[in-house]
Amino acid sequence: MATPDFIRTLRASAGRQLLWLPGVTAIVFDDEGRVLLGRRTDTRKWSVIGGIPDPGEQPAACAVREVF
């Protein structure tokens, strides 16, 4: 997942200051009990699906967006 533009803007003004950001994670199983994983763009490692909601976005909507 690429860093959203609104996070880059926050980071530009906050510097290295700690940012508290909401996040979502979705565990998706198929009919055979396998778990959907995604490859991270920063580390290239496999992980469960997750992300940061856009400003004003509900967590459930963010989880659906990240899964797709």
Side-chain angles (χ1 to χ4, degrees):
M1 172 179 86
T3 304
D5 289 338
F6 76 94
I7 298 294
R8 292 179 194 275
T9 301
L10 280 173
R11 184 54 67 203
S13 64
R16 294 188 167 277
Q17 180 176 298
L18 181 64
L19 297 176
W20 290 92
L21 299 170
V24 300
T25 301
I27 309 296
V28 180
F29 295 92
D30 69 6
D31 292 338
E32 296 178 20
R34 296 176 297 185
V35 176
L36 176 67
L37 298 175
R39 186 168 284 194
R40 294 178 55 96
T41 59
D42 57 350
T43 64
R44 302 297 298 157
K45 293 185 179 183
W46 293 99
S47 67
V48 294
I49 305 301
I52 301 169
D54 292 331
E57 183 179 27
Q58 292 297 312
C62 177
V64 170
R65 175 175 53 80
E66 291 294 337
V67 167
F68 283 106

